[in-house]
Amino acid sequence: MQENNLAVRATADIAAPVERVWQVLTDLHSYEQWHPSVELVDGPPAAELAKGSALRLRADRGTPAEREFDVTVTELTAPTVLAWEGGDPEHFFGRHRFTLAQGAEGTDFTDEETFEGSMAEAVLAEHRTALEAAYKAGAEALKQAAEK
């Protein structure tokens, strides 16, 4: 299978049950306590999160690259898939998908985002290293939060 050059992906083996990882992942209001670069600005509590939920997120808080963006939840299949998408489909659009699966010693976690639009290739060419580091840091932070 050919790797998508317009995607960023991170994985983690988390020594916690899928249900615990799901609980941490879907409690978007707690991201500011454990996630190194993303926080929820506006959106429903975890118990009300559903397909179609509108979220406003902030990325890279406290840095010159800080920005807010709106996404819509496109899939919520407890306790295995949370997905959202947002942006301008013509210029720069992202489809973000978190997948949890039962692993040998806990949860196999995958965080992947694919991008499209006229600017996607240029943006990823310039920012891939930083994005990959941020996704890896987010996966590691989820691991630490879920294993507490």
Side-chain angles (χ1 to χ4, degrees):
M1 182 168 97
Q2 185 175 358
E3 187 173 321
N4 182 349
N5 69 342
L6 296 180
V8 175
R9 184 174 200 233
T11 62
D13 296 324
I14 303 175
V18 170
E19 293 77 12
R20 168 68 182 146
V21 179
W22 180 256
Q23 176 187 27
V24 175
L25 180 67
T26 57
D27 183 4
L28 300 168
H29 288 274
S30 74
Y31 275 36
E32 66 184 67
Q33 297 169 12
W34 62 266
H35 200 287
S37 63
V38 174
E39 66 184 330
L40 182 70
V41 174
D42 189 35
E48 297 174 19
L49 190 63
K51 184 176 178 178
S53 291
L55 309 175
R56 183 170 234 346
L57 302 172
R58 179 179 297 123
D60 298 323
R61 65 181 177 260
T63 74
E66 181 175 313
R67 66 205 174 281
E68 291 186 6
F69 53 97
D70 298 313
V71 298
T72 301
V73 175
T74 57
E75 187 174 351
L76 187 73
T77 306
T80 58
V81 177
L82 169 60
W84 60 58
E85 61 184 34
D88 176 351
E90 187 176 324
H91 300 289
F92 191 73
F93 190 80
R95 288 187 171 87
H96 205 129
R97 183 179 181 90
F98 303 96
T99 307
L100 289 69
Q102 184 63 50
E105 296 182 25
T107 302
D108 293 337
F109 172 73
T110 303
D111 177 359
E112 182 172 33
E113 187 161 12
T114 56
F115 300 94
E116 61 186 60
S118 62
M119 296 172 48
E121 192 170 339
V123 169
L124 283 177
E126 184 176 343
H127 299 286
R128 178 176 296 281
T129 301
L131 284 169
E132 288 175 345
Y135 282 58
K136 183 176 180 179
E140 183 59 32
L142 175 64
K143 173 182 172 66
Q144 291 176 13
E147 289 178 352
K148 280 186 183 177

